Coordinates of all heavy atoms in Angstrom, one line a residue:
M1 N -115.2 209.1 -164.4 CA -114.8 208.1 -165.3 C -115.1 208.6 -166.8 O -116.1 209.2 -167.0 CB -115.5 206.8 -165.1 CG -115.2 205.7 -166.1 SD -115.9 204.1 -165.6 CE -114.5 203.6 -164.6
N2 N -114.2 208.3 -167.7 CA -114.4 208.7 -169.1 C -115.6 208.0 -169.6 O -116.0 206.9 -169.3 CB -113.2 208.2 -170.0 CG -111.9 209.0 -169.6 OD1 -112.0 210.1 -169.1 ND2 -110.8 208.4 -169.9
E3 N -116.3 208.7 -170.4 CA -117.6 208.2 -171.1 C -117.2 207.2 -172.2 O -118.0 206.4 -172.5 CB -118.4 209.3 -171.6 CG -119.1 210.1 -170.5 CD -120.0 209.3 -169.6 OE1 -120.9 208.6 -170.1 OE2 -119.9 209.4 -168.4
I4 N -116.1 207.4 -172.8 CA -115.6 206.5 -173.8 C -114.3 205.9 -173.4 O -113.3 206.6 -173.2 CB -115.6 207.2 -175.2 CG1 -116.9 207.7 -175.6 CG2 -115.0 206.2 -176.3 CD1 -116.9 208.4 -177.0
L5 N -114.2 204.6 -173.3 CA -113.0 203.9 -173.1 C -112.5 203.2 -174.3 O -113.3 202.9 -175.3 CB -113.2 202.9 -171.9 CG -113.7 203.4 -170.6 CD1 -113.9 202.2 -169.6 CD2 -112.7 204.4 -170.0
K6 N -111.2 202.7 -174.3 CA -110.7 201.9 -175.4 C -110.8 200.5 -175.0 O -110.5 200.1 -173.8 CB -109.2 202.3 -175.7 CG -109.1 203.6 -176.4 CD -109.8 203.6 -177.8 CE -109.6 204.9 -178.5 NZ -110.3 204.9 -179.8
C7 N -111.2 199.6 -175.9 CA -111.3 198.2 -175.6 C -110.0 197.5 -175.4 O -109.1 197.7 -176.1 CB -112.0 197.5 -176.7 SG -112.2 195.7 -176.6
P8 N -109.8 196.8 -174.2 CA -108.6 196.1 -174.0 C -108.4 194.9 -174.9 O -107.2 194.3 -175.0 CB -108.7 195.6 -172.5 CG -110.2 195.5 -172.3 CD -110.8 196.6 -173.2
K9 N -109.4 194.5 -175.6 CA -109.2 193.3 -176.6 C -108.9 193.7 -178.0 O -108.0 193.1 -178.6 CB -110.6 192.5 -176.6 CG -111.1 192.0 -175.3 CD -110.2 191.0 -174.7 CE -110.8 190.5 -173.4 NZ -110.0 189.5 -172.7
C10 N -109.6 194.8 -178.5 CA -109.3 195.2 -179.9 C -109.0 196.6 -180.1 O -108.9 197.1 -181.2 CB -110.5 194.7 -180.8 SG -111.9 195.9 -180.6
N11 N -109.0 197.4 -179.0 CA -108.7 198.9 -179.0 C -109.9 199.7 -179.7 O -109.7 200.8 -180.1 CB -107.4 199.2 -179.7 CG -106.8 200.5 -179.2 OD1 -106.9 200.8 -178.0 ND2 -106.1 201.2 -180.1
G12 N -111.0 199.1 -179.8 CA -112.1 199.8 -180.3 C -112.7 200.8 -179.3 O -112.4 200.7 -178.1
D13 N -113.7 201.6 -179.7 CA -114.3 202.5 -178.7 C -115.4 201.7 -177.9 O -116.1 200.9 -178.5 CB -115.0 203.7 -179.5 CG -114.1 204.6 -180.1 OD1 -113.0 204.7 -179.6 OD2 -114.5 205.4 -181.0
M14 N -115.4 202.0 -176.6 CA -116.3 201.3 -175.7 C -117.3 202.4 -175.2 O -116.9 203.4 -174.7 CB -115.6 200.7 -174.5 CG -114.6 199.6 -174.9 SD -113.9 198.7 -173.5 CE -115.3 197.6 -173.1
I15 N -118.6 202.1 -175.4 CA -119.7 203.0 -175.1 C -120.4 202.6 -173.9 O -120.7 201.5 -173.7 CB -120.7 203.1 -176.3 CG1 -120.0 203.3 -177.6 CG2 -121.8 204.1 -176.0 CD1 -119.2 204.6 -177.7
R16 N -120.6 203.6 -173.0 CA -121.3 203.4 -171.7 C -122.7 203.0 -171.9 O -123.5 203.6 -172.7 CB -121.2 204.6 -170.8 CG -121.9 204.4 -169.5 CD -121.8 205.7 -168.7 NE -122.9 205.8 -167.8 CZ -123.0 206.8 -166.9 NH1 -122.1 207.8 -166.9 NH2 -124.0 206.8 -166.0
G17 N -123.2 202.0 -171.1 CA -124.6 201.7 -171.1 C -124.9 201.2 -169.7 O -124.1 201.3 -168.8
F18 N -126.1 200.6 -169.5 CA -126.5 200.0 -168.2 C -127.2 198.7 -168.4 O -127.6 198.4 -169.5 CB -127.3 201.0 -167.4 CG -128.7 201.2 -167.9 CD1 -129.8 200.5 -167.4 CD2 -128.9 202.1 -169.0 CE1 -131.1 200.7 -167.9 CE2 -130.2 202.3 -169.5 CZ -131.3 201.6 -169.0
I19 N -127.3 198.0 -167.3 CA -127.9 196.7 -167.4 C -129.2 196.8 -166.6 O -129.3 196.9 -165.4 CB -127.0 195.6 -166.7 CG1 -125.7 195.6 -167.5 CG2 -127.7 194.2 -166.7 CD1 -124.6 194.7 -166.8
P20 N -130.4 196.8 -167.3 CA -131.7 196.9 -166.6 C -132.0 195.7 -165.8 O -131.7 194.6 -166.2 CB -132.7 197.1 -167.8 CG -132.0 196.6 -169.0 CD -130.5 196.7 -168.8
D21 N -132.7 196.0 -164.7 CA -133.2 194.9 -163.8 C -134.7 194.9 -163.9 O -135.4 195.9 -163.5 CB -132.7 195.2 -162.4 CG -133.2 194.3 -161.4 OD1 -133.8 193.3 -161.8 OD2 -132.9 194.5 -160.2
F22 N -135.3 193.9 -164.5 CA -136.7 193.9 -164.7 C -137.4 193.0 -163.6 O -137.1 191.8 -163.5 CB -137.1 193.2 -166.0 CG -136.6 194.0 -167.2 CD1 -135.3 193.7 -167.8 CD2 -137.3 195.0 -167.8 CE1 -134.9 194.4 -168.9 CE2 -136.8 195.7 -168.9 CZ -135.6 195.4 -169.4
A23 N -138.2 193.5 -162.8 CA -138.9 192.7 -161.7 C -140.1 193.5 -161.3 O -140.1 194.7 -161.0 CB -138.0 192.5 -160.6
N24 N -141.2 192.7 -161.1 CA -142.5 193.2 -160.5 C -142.9 194.5 -161.2 O -143.3 195.5 -160.6 CB -142.3 193.5 -159.0 CG -142.0 192.3 -158.2 OD1 -142.5 191.2 -158.6 ND2 -141.2 192.3 -157.2
N25 N -142.9 194.5 -162.5 CA -143.3 195.6 -163.3 C -142.5 196.9 -163.1 O -142.9 198.0 -163.5 CB -144.8 195.9 -163.0 CG -145.7 194.8 -163.5 OD1 -145.4 194.2 -164.5 ND2 -146.7 194.5 -162.7
F26 N -141.4 196.8 -162.5 CA -140.5 197.9 -162.3 C -139.2 197.7 -163.2 O -138.8 196.5 -163.4 CB -140.0 198.1 -160.9 CG -141.1 198.6 -159.9 CD1 -141.8 197.7 -159.2 CD2 -141.5 199.9 -159.9 CE1 -142.8 198.1 -158.3 CE2 -142.5 200.4 -159.1 CZ -143.1 199.4 -158.3
V27 N -138.6 198.7 -163.6 CA -137.3 198.6 -164.3 C -136.4 199.6 -163.6 O -136.7 200.7 -163.5 CB -137.4 198.9 -165.8 CG1 -136.0 198.7 -166.5 CG2 -138.4 198.0 -166.5
K28 N -135.2 199.1 -163.2 CA -134.2 199.9 -162.6 C -132.9 199.5 -163.1 O -132.7 198.4 -163.7 CB -134.3 200.0 -161.1 CG -134.1 198.6 -160.5 CD -134.1 198.7 -159.0 CE -133.7 197.4 -158.4 NZ -133.6 197.4 -156.9
A29 N -131.8 200.3 -162.9 CA -130.5 199.9 -163.3 C -130.0 199.0 -162.2 O -130.2 199.2 -161.0 CB -129.6 201.2 -163.4
S30 N -129.2 198.0 -162.6 CA -128.6 197.0 -161.6 C -127.5 197.7 -160.8 O -126.9 198.7 -161.2 CB -128.0 195.9 -162.4 OG -129.0 195.1 -163.0
S31 N -127.4 197.1 -159.6 CA -126.3 197.6 -158.7 C -125.5 196.4 -158.2 O -125.9 195.3 -158.4 CB -127.0 198.2 -157.4 OG -127.7 199.4 -157.8
W32 N -124.3 196.7 -157.7 CA -123.4 195.7 -157.1 C -123.6 195.6 -155.6 O -123.7 196.6 -155.0 CB -122.0 196.0 -157.5 CG -121.0 195.1 -156.9 CD1 -120.5 193.9 -157.5 CD2 -120.3 195.1 -155.6 NE1 -119.6 193.3 -156.7 CE2 -119.5 194.0 -155.5 CE3 -120.4 196.0 -154.6 CZ2 -118.7 193.8 -154.4 CZ3 -119.6 195.8 -153.5 CH2 -118.8 194.6 -153.4
F33 N -123.7 194.3 -155.1 CA -123.7 194.1 -153.6 C -122.7 193.1 -153.2 O -122.4 192.1 -153.9 CB -125.1 193.6 -153.3 CG -126.2 194.5 -153.4 CD1 -126.9 194.6 -154.6 CD2 -126.6 195.4 -152.4 CE1 -127.9 195.5 -154.8 CE2 -127.7 196.3 -152.6 CZ -128.3 196.4 -153.8
E34 N -122.0 193.4 -152.1 CA -121.0 192.5 -151.6 C -121.6 191.2 -151.1 O -122.7 191.2 -150.5 CB -120.3 193.2 -150.4 CG -119.1 192.4 -149.8 CD -118.4 193.1 -148.7 OE1 -118.7 194.3 -148.5 OE2 -117.6 192.5 -148.0
G35 N -120.9 190.1 -151.3 CA -121.3 188.8 -150.7 C -122.1 187.9 -151.7 O -122.2 188.3 -152.9
Q36 N -122.7 186.9 -151.2 CA -123.4 185.9 -152.0 C -124.9 186.1 -151.8 O -125.3 186.3 -150.6 CB -123.0 184.5 -151.5 CG -123.7 183.4 -152.4 CD -123.2 182.0 -152.0 OE1 -122.2 181.9 -151.3 NE2 -123.8 181.0 -152.5
P37 N -125.7 186.1 -152.8 CA -127.2 186.3 -152.7 C -127.8 185.1 -151.9 O -127.3 184.0 -151.9 CB -127.7 186.4 -154.1 CG -126.7 185.6 -154.9 CD -125.4 185.9 -154.2
Q38 N -128.9 185.4 -151.1 CA -129.6 184.4 -150.4 C -131.1 184.5 -150.8 O -131.6 185.5 -151.0 CB -129.5 184.7 -148.9 CG -128.1 184.5 -148.4 CD -128.0 184.6 -146.8 OE1 -129.0 184.9 -146.2 NE2 -126.9 184.3 -146.3
K39 N -131.6 183.3 -150.9 CA -133.1 183.2 -151.3 C -134.0 183.6 -150.2 O -133.7 183.4 -149.0 CB -133.4 181.7 -151.7 CG -132.8 181.3 -153.1 CD -133.4 179.9 -153.4 CE -132.8 179.5 -154.7 NZ -133.2 178.1 -155.1
S40 N -135.1 184.2 -150.6 CA -136.1 184.6 -149.6 C -136.7 183.3 -149.0 O -136.9 182.3 -149.6 CB -137.2 185.5 -150.3 OG -138.2 185.6 -149.4
Y41 N -137.2 183.4 -147.7 CA -137.9 182.3 -147.1 C -139.3 182.1 -147.7 O -139.7 181.0 -147.8 CB -138.1 182.7 -145.6 CG -138.9 181.6 -144.9 CD1 -138.4 180.5 -144.4 CD2 -140.3 181.9 -144.6 CE1 -139.1 179.5 -143.7 CE2 -141.0 181.0 -143.9 CZ -140.5 179.8 -143.5 OH -141.2 178.9 -142.8
W42 N -139.9 183.2 -148.3 CA -141.2 183.1 -148.8 C -141.4 182.7 -150.2 O -142.4 182.2 -150.7 CB -141.9 184.5 -148.6 CG -141.9 184.9 -147.2 CD1 -141.0 185.9 -146.7 CD2 -142.6 184.4 -146.1 NE1 -141.2 186.0 -145.4 CE2 -142.3 185.2 -145.0 CE3 -143.6 183.5 -146.0 CZ2 -142.8 184.9 -143.7 CZ3 -144.2 183.2 -144.8 CH2 -143.8 183.9 -143.6
N43 N -140.3 182.9 -151.0 CA -140.4 182.6 -152.5 C -139.0 182.4 -153.0 O -138.1 182.3 -152.2 CB -141.1 183.7 -153.3 CG -140.5 185.0 -153.0 OD1 -139.3 185.2 -153.0 ND2 -141.4 186.1 -152.8
S44 N -138.9 182.2 -154.3 CA -137.6 181.9 -154.9 C -136.8 183.2 -155.2 O -135.7 183.1 -155.7 CB -137.8 181.1 -156.2 OG -138.5 181.9 -157.1
F45 N -137.3 184.4 -154.8 CA -136.6 185.6 -155.1 C -135.4 185.7 -154.1 O -135.4 185.1 -153.0 CB -137.5 186.8 -155.0 CG -138.6 186.8 -156.0 CD1 -139.9 186.7 -155.7 CD2 -138.2 186.9 -157.4 CE1 -140.8 186.7 -156.7 CE2 -139.2 186.9 -158.3 CZ -140.5 186.8 -158.0
I46 N -134.5 186.7 -154.4 CA -133.4 187.0 -153.5 C -133.9 188.0 -152.5 O -134.6 188.9 -152.8 CB -132.2 187.5 -154.3 CG1 -131.7 186.4 -155.2 CG2 -131.1 188.1 -153.5 CD1 -130.7 186.8 -156.2
K47 N -133.4 187.8 -151.3 CA -133.8 188.8 -150.2 C -133.2 190.2 -150.6 O -132.1 190.3 -150.9 CB -133.1 188.4 -148.9 CG -133.7 187.2 -148.2 CD -133.0 187.0 -146.8 CE -133.6 185.8 -146.1 NZ -132.8 185.5 -144.9
I48 N -134.1 191.2 -150.5 CA -133.7 192.5 -150.8 C -134.8 193.4 -150.3 O -135.9 193.1 -150.2 CB -133.5 192.7 -152.4 CG1 -132.6 194.0 -152.6 CG2 -134.8 192.8 -153.1 CD1 -132.0 194.0 -154.0
S49 N -134.4 194.6 -149.9 CA -135.3 195.6 -149.4 C -135.2 196.9 -150.2 O -134.3 197.0 -151.1 CB -135.1 195.9 -147.9 OG -133.9 196.7 -147.8
W50 N -136.0 197.8 -150.0 CA -136.0 199.1 -150.7 C -134.6 199.8 -150.5 O -134.2 200.5 -151.3 CB -137.1 200.0 -150.4 CG -138.4 199.5 -151.0 CD1 -139.5 199.0 -150.3 CD2 -138.7 199.5 -152.4 NE1 -140.4 198.6 -151.2 CE2 -140.0 198.9 -152.5 CE3 -138.1 199.9 -153.5 CZ2 -140.7 198.7 -153.7 CZ3 -138.7 199.7 -154.7 CH2 -140.0 199.1 -154.8
K51 N -134.1 199.6 -149.3 CA -132.8 200.2 -149.0 C -131.6 199.4 -149.7 O -130.5 199.9 -149.7 CB -132.5 200.2 -147.5 CG -133.3 201.2 -146.7 CD -132.8 201.2 -145.3 CE -133.5 202.3 -144.5 NZ -133.1 202.3 -143.1
G52 N -131.9 198.3 -150.2 CA -130.9 197.4 -150.8 C -130.9 196.1 -150.1 O -131.9 195.7 -149.5
W53 N -129.9 195.3 -150.3 CA -129.8 194.0 -149.8 C -129.4 194.0 -148.3 O -128.4 194.4 -147.9 CB -128.8 193.2 -150.6 CG -128.7 191.8 -150.3 CD1 -129.7 191.0 -149.8 CD2 -127.6 191.0 -150.6 NE1 -129.2 189.7 -149.7 CE2 -127.9 189.7 -150.2 CE3 -126.3 191.2 -151.2 CZ2 -127.0 188.6 -150.3 CZ3 -125.5 190.1 -151.3 CH2 -125.8 188.8 -150.8
F54 N -130.3 193.5 -147.5 CA -130.1 193.5 -146.0 C -129.8 194.9 -145.5 O -129.0 195.1 -144.6 CB -129.0 192.5 -145.6 CG -129.3 191.1 -145.9 CD1 -128.5 190.4 -146.8 CD2 -130.4 190.5 -145.4 CE1 -128.7 189.1 -147.1 CE2 -130.7 189.2 -145.7 CZ -129.9 188.5 -146.6
G55 N -130.4 195.9 -146.1 CA -130.2 197.2 -145.6 C -129.0 197.9 -146.2 O -128.7 199.1 -145.9
K56 N -128.2 197.1 -146.9 CA -127.0 197.7 -147.5 C -127.5 198.5 -148.8 O -128.4 198.1 -149.4 CB -126.0 196.7 -147.9 CG -125.4 195.9 -146.8 CD -124.6 194.7 -147.3 CE -124.1 193.9 -146.2 NZ -123.3 192.7 -146.8
V57 N -126.7 199.5 -149.1 CA -127.0 200.2 -150.3 C -126.0 199.7 -151.4 O -124.8 199.7 -151.2 CB -126.8 201.7 -150.1 CG1 -127.0 202.5 -151.4 CG2 -127.8 202.2 -149.1
G58 N -126.6 199.3 -152.5 CA -125.8 198.8 -153.6 C -125.1 199.9 -154.3 O -125.4 201.1 -154.2
I59 N -124.0 199.6 -155.1 CA -123.3 200.5 -155.9 C -123.8 200.4 -157.3 O -123.7 199.3 -157.9 CB -121.8 200.3 -155.8 CG1 -121.3 200.4 -154.3 CG2 -121.0 201.3 -156.6 CD1 -119.9 199.9 -154.2
P60 N -124.3 201.5 -157.9 CA -124.8 201.4 -159.3 C -123.7 200.9 -160.2 O -122.5 201.2 -160.0 CB -125.2 202.8 -159.6 CG -125.5 203.4 -158.3 CD -124.5 202.8 -157.3
I61 N -124.0 200.1 -161.2 CA -123.0 199.6 -162.1 C -123.4 200.1 -163.5 O -124.5 200.4 -163.9 CB -122.9 198.1 -162.1 CG1 -124.3 197.4 -162.5 CG2 -122.4 197.6 -160.8 CD1 -124.1 195.9 -162.6
A62 N -122.3 200.2 -164.4 CA -122.4 200.6 -165.8 C -121.6 199.6 -166.6 O -120.5 199.2 -166.1 CB -122.1 202.0 -166.0
G63 N -122.0 199.3 -167.8 CA -121.3 198.5 -168.6 C -120.8 199.3 -169.8 O -121.5 200.0 -170.4
F64 N -119.5 199.0 -170.2 CA -118.9 199.7 -171.4 C -118.8 198.6 -172.4 O -118.0 197.7 -172.3 CB -117.6 200.4 -171.0 CG -117.8 201.6 -170.1 CD1 -118.1 201.4 -168.8 CD2 -117.7 202.8 -170.7 CE1 -118.2 202.6 -168.0 CE2 -117.9 204.0 -169.9 CZ -118.1 203.8 -168.5
C65 N -119.5 198.8 -173.5 CA -119.5 197.8 -174.6 C -118.7 198.2 -175.8 O -118.8 199.4 -176.2 CB -121.0 197.6 -175.0 SG -121.2 196.3 -176.3
C66 N -117.9 197.4 -176.3 CA -117.0 197.6 -177.4 C -117.9 197.6 -178.7 O -118.5 196.6 -179.0 CB -115.9 196.7 -177.5 SG -114.8 196.9 -179.0
K67 N -117.8 198.7 -179.5 CA -118.5 198.7 -180.8 C -117.8 197.8 -181.8 O -118.4 197.3 -182.7 CB -118.5 200.1 -181.4 CG -119.3 201.1 -180.6 CD -119.6 202.4 -181.4 CE -118.4 203.2 -181.7 NZ -118.7 204.5 -182.3
G68 N -116.5 197.5 -181.6 CA -115.8 196.6 -182.5 C -116.0 195.1 -182.3 O -116.4 194.4 -183.3
C69 N -115.9 194.7 -181.1 CA -115.9 193.2 -180.8 C -117.0 192.8 -179.9 O -117.2 191.6 -179.7 CB -114.6 192.7 -180.4 SG -114.1 193.2 -178.7
G70 N -117.7 193.7 -179.2 CA -118.8 193.4 -178.4 C -118.4 193.0 -176.9 O -119.2 192.8 -176.1
F71 N -117.1 193.1 -176.6 CA -116.7 192.9 -175.2 C -117.3 193.9 -174.3 O -117.4 195.1 -174.6 CB -115.1 193.0 -175.2 CG -114.5 192.9 -173.8 CD1 -114.5 191.6 -173.2 CD2 -114.0 194.0 -173.1 CE1 -113.9 191.5 -171.9 CE2 -113.5 193.8 -171.9 CZ -113.4 192.6 -171.3
I72 N -117.7 193.4 -173.1 CA -118.4 194.3 -172.1 C -117.5 194.3 -170.9 O -117.2 193.2 -170.4 CB -119.8 193.9 -171.8 CG1 -120.7 194.0 -173.1 CG2 -120.4 194.7 -170.7 CD1 -122.1 193.5 -172.9
E73 N -117.2 195.5 -170.3 CA -116.5 195.6 -169.1 C -117.4 196.4 -168.1 O -118.0 197.4 -168.5 CB -115.2 196.4 -169.3 CG -114.2 196.2 -168.3 CD -112.8 196.7 -168.8 OE1 -112.7 197.8 -169.4 OE2 -111.8 196.0 -168.5
I74 N -117.6 195.9 -166.9 CA -118.5 196.5 -166.0 C -117.8 197.1 -164.8 O -116.9 196.5 -164.3 CB -119.5 195.3 -165.4 CG1 -120.3 194.8 -166.6 CG2 -120.4 195.9 -164.4 CD1 -121.1 193.6 -166.2
Y75 N -118.2 198.4 -164.5 CA -117.7 199.1 -163.4 C -118.8 199.5 -162.4 O -119.9 199.7 -162.8 CB -117.0 200.4 -163.9 CG -115.8 200.2 -164.7 CD1 -115.8 200.0 -166.0 CD2 -114.5 200.1 -164.1 CE1 -114.7 199.8 -166.8 CE2 -113.4 199.9 -164.8 CZ -113.5 199.7 -166.2 OH -112.3 199.5 -167.0
S76 N -118.4 199.7 -161.1 CA -119.4 200.2 -160.2 C -118.9 201.6 -159.7 O -117.7 201.9 -159.6 CB -119.4 199.3 -158.9 OG -118.2 199.2 -158.3
D77 N -119.9 202.5 -159.6 CA -119.6 203.9 -159.2 C -120.9 204.6 -158.8 O -121.9 204.5 -159.5 CB -119.0 204.6 -160.4 CG -118.4 206.0 -160.0 OD1 -119.1 206.8 -159.3 OD2 -117.3 206.3 -160.4
P78 N -120.9 205.3 -157.6 CA -122.1 206.0 -157.2 C -122.6 206.9 -158.3 O -123.8 207.2 -158.4 CB -121.7 206.7 -155.9 CG -120.6 205.9 -155.4 CD -119.8 205.4 -156.6
G79 N -121.7 207.4 -159.1 CA -122.0 208.4 -160.2 C -122.8 207.8 -161.3 O -123.4 208.5 -162.1
F80 N -123.0 206.4 -161.3 CA -123.8 205.7 -162.3 C -125.2 205.6 -162.0 O -126.0 205.0 -162.7 CB -123.2 204.3 -162.6 CG -121.8 204.3 -163.2 CD1 -121.0 203.2 -162.9 CD2 -121.4 205.2 -164.1 CE1 -119.7 203.2 -163.4 CE2 -120.1 205.2 -164.6 CZ -119.3 204.2 -164.3
A81 N -125.6 206.2 -160.8 CA -127.1 206.1 -160.4 C -127.9 206.8 -161.4 O -127.5 207.7 -162.1 CB -127.2 206.8 -159.1
A82 N -129.2 206.4 -161.6 CA -130.1 207.0 -162.5 C -130.3 208.4 -162.1 O -130.3 208.8 -161.0 CB -131.5 206.2 -162.4
K83 N -130.5 209.3 -163.2 CA -130.7 210.7 -163.0 C -132.1 211.1 -163.5 O -132.6 210.5 -164.3 CB -129.6 211.5 -163.7 CG -128.2 211.2 -163.2 CD -127.2 212.0 -163.9 CE -125.8 211.7 -163.3 NZ -124.7 212.3 -164.0
Ligands
ZN101 ZN1 -113.3 195.3 -178.7

């Protein structure tokens, strides 16, 4: 995927970024998971494991933000994983 896209709203340059996930003193990049989230039985958090949600592996997501108007478009791609 191109690192710089054109904004569908104003045709400005869109710059790649990521959406951090802050939890339990860890920070990681957010991922996409199929389906609807379910609350844990033990607390108000969403069920998830180190492998992902119910053992599924999420697809890393990246957001492309327009420098002109601020519009954000989000894509999923295994290539967006942290390096
Ligand atoms: Zn724009």
Side-chain angles (χ1 to χ4, degrees):
M1 174 171 279
N2 292 336
E3 290 298 310
I4 298 178
L5 303 177
K6 288 295 182 184
C7 177
K9 305 291 185 186
C10 76
N11 207 35
D13 288 340
M14 298 186 80
I15 307 301
R16 177 180 158 179
F18 69 98
I19 301 169
D21 178 4
F22 298 94
N24 297 327
N25 296 322
F26 292 100
V27 181
K28 61 180 187 173
S30 292
S31 296
W32 178 89
F33 291 89
E34 182 179 352
Q36 184 174 350
Q38 294 185 355
K39 287 184 179 178
S40 167
Y41 175 80
W42 304 104
N43 53 42
S44 62
F45 296 115
I46 293 171
K47 286 183 180 176
I48 198 159
S49 72
W50 286 110
K51 285 185 177 178
W53 186 23
F54 298 118
K56 298 176 184 174
V57 176
I59 303 172
I61 60 174
F64 289 77
C65 181
C66 177
K67 290 194 298 187
C69 72
F71 177 74
I72 296 174
E73 199 163 44
I74 298 173
Y75 292 88
S76 64
D77 189 310
F80 293 149
K83 295 180 180 174

